[in-house]
Amino acid sequence: MRFATYEHRDQQRVAVVEEDGTLLPVPGARSLTELIGSGDGLDALLDVGTATLDVPPGPHVSEVRLLPPLQPPTVRDFVTFEEHVEGVRRSVDGVGAGGVPEAWYDAPTFYFTNPYAVIGAHDDVPVPPGSAVLDFELEVAAVIGQEGRDLTPEQARDHVIGYTAFNDWSARDLQSREMQVRLGPCKGKDTAATLGPYLVTADELEPYRDSDGFLRLALTAQVNGEVVGKDLLSNMSWTFEEMVAYASRGTAVRPGDVLGSGTCGNGGCLAELWGVRGEQSPPPLKPGDTVTLTVEGIGTVSNTVVPGKDPVPLPTARRRTRERP
């Protein structure tokens, strides 16, 4: 079952999406985040969706503005594709032929990104202030449907309510400089993160699961209609269940939390291609460029880059003559 959050005639609604794109509004629902949080996992959401099949149809998806399927309380973005790590280390971190750091293999590493930066499937993306090297990142995100703590991977499967496409927009020049502080990305990952077009419930994607537990979904990235990347989601080095289990270690995952797969390989972002080719080809994104990402079984998101704002000037750090009390 597919759920959408949309804006139509100045109203925000949640709907079940039929195969032909007709929207069936969920009575009384304005937020999928709240709907997920008020239920008890996947079965509860499916019950809501089934009851909605009897309501009068609403508008077609082409007649509305698709909002992000949900407004997540947290967004954890993992890095689970080995090929991506190797290419991006060359272009962003300035590492030569060093390959993948051994520590990467220890556990599915992630960072927390900005839930306030989430945008819809067809919204414009402003260039981050101060950046001249904008990039996309093709990912898939799992959405948590019920709270859990210290989960095993087997338990974690019941806590994933569905999946959505995820574009983790990245200002590579800002990111490269920030990473020299050895703390993590900051404004390099802070302007936009596309989620959409729908939340596809976990049961819908079970037919794609392979014998090792990975979802074998085809991934395609296009810039201005030209294919620049193609991969399979099953090339991840950890399953979503293993990622959820690690995220819940010593803490909690809660309804609405989003966990990104990390960027796929073979052109899942421009920076990976730059690292492989030794040059910025294709070039960084600029205003007017349209990035279209397609995930088999989930759908397509397509965003156009627009000019952003100039950065508000700030001073550099004061180099202190240190005094002590």
Side-chain angles (χ1 to χ4, degrees):
M1 194 168 285
R2 298 181 297 171
F3 287 83
T5 302
Y6 68 95
E7 184 180 76
H8 183 60
R9 296 177 179 173
D10 298 323
Q11 288 192 333
Q12 180 173 315
R13 302 295 302 271
V14 175
V16 173
V17 187
E18 295 201 294
E19 286 297 326
D20 64 358
T22 300
L23 297 167
L24 304 178
V26 177
R30 299 290 181 270
S31 165
L32 188 55
T33 310
E34 293 178 3
L35 195 61
I36 293 171
S38 64
D40 187 22
L42 178 58
D43 288 343
L45 185 62
L46 291 176
D47 287 344
V48 169
T50 300
T52 301
L53 298 179
D54 295 328
V55 306
H60 190 271
V61 69
S62 63
E63 301 172 324
V64 306
R65 176 193 170 203
L66 283 176
L67 302 173
L70 74 162
Q71 291 293 334
T74 67
V75 182
R76 295 172 177 86
D77 197 10
F78 286 73
V79 54
T80 68
F81 288 84
E82 190 176 23
E83 186 176 11
H84 169 76
V85 175
E86 187 169 5
V88 169
R89 284 194 85 208
R90 293 194 187 107
S91 62
V92 176
D93 298 338
V95 177
V100 178
E102 197 61 33
W104 179 82
Y105 296 95
D106 292 347
T109 305
F110 67 90
Y111 73 97
F112 281 95
T113 191
N114 186 358
Y116 304 126
V118 171
I119 63 172
H122 305 293
D123 290 343
D124 291 339
V125 176
V127 176
S131 176
V133 189
L134 181 61
D135 195 1
F136 68 88
E137 296 202 34
L138 171 51
E139 308 188 26
V140 174
V143 179
I144 299 298
Q146 55 182 320
E147 183 169 342
R149 180 185 289 268
D150 291 311
L151 301 169
T152 66
E154 292 73 24
Q155 293 169 332
R157 181 169 296 187
D158 292 334
H159 290 257
V160 175
I161 204 167
Y163 300 88
T164 188
F166 181 24
N167 187 345
D168 177 37
W169 298 86
S170 302
R172 296 301 188 190
D173 45 355
L174 304 184
Q175 179 190 4
S176 182
R177 183 65 172 171
E178 290 164 351
M179 296 303 286
Q180 295 178 35
V181 184
R182 304 184 69 81
L183 184 60
C186 178
K187 286 299 174 182
K189 298 274 193 173
D190 207 36
T191 296
T194 305
L195 291 180
Y198 315 117
L199 174 74
V200 177
T201 55
D203 59 304
E204 289 282 325
L205 298 184
E206 277 304 306
Y208 295 93
R209 193 177 295 276
D210 67 18
S211 59
D212 293 320
F214 293 93
L215 297 175
R216 197 177 190 277
L217 306 179
L219 311 174
T220 305
Q222 296 175 288
V223 177
N224 299 327
E226 180 181 348
V227 174
V228 298
K230 300 185 80 170
D231 201 4
L232 290 171
L233 186 63
S234 51
N235 284 328
M236 295 164 63
S237 291
W238 289 272
T239 66
F240 279 107
E241 291 78 14
E242 291 162 347
M243 292 157 53
V244 172
Y246 188 64
S248 74
R249 183 182 294 179
T251 185
V253 291
R254 292 180 175 169
D257 285 354
V258 163
L259 286 73
S261 63
T263 309
C264 67
N266 195 38
C269 68
L270 298 178
E272 179 209 323
L273 297 176
W274 300 339
V276 171
R277 297 172 180 174
E279 60 181 11
Q280 287 190 343
S281 175
L285 301 171
K286 62 183 184 304
D289 287 340
T290 297
V291 176
T292 302
L293 308 181
T294 300
V295 179
E296 183 181 10
I298 294 178
T300 296
V301 297
S302 187
N303 304 96
T304 298
V305 179
V306 297
K309 294 185 177 180
D310 293 331
V312 175
L314 291 175
T316 57
R318 282 77 169 173
R319 298 180 184 270
R320 295 294 192 182
T321 301
R322 299 181 182 93
E323 299 180 2
R324 306 296 184 209

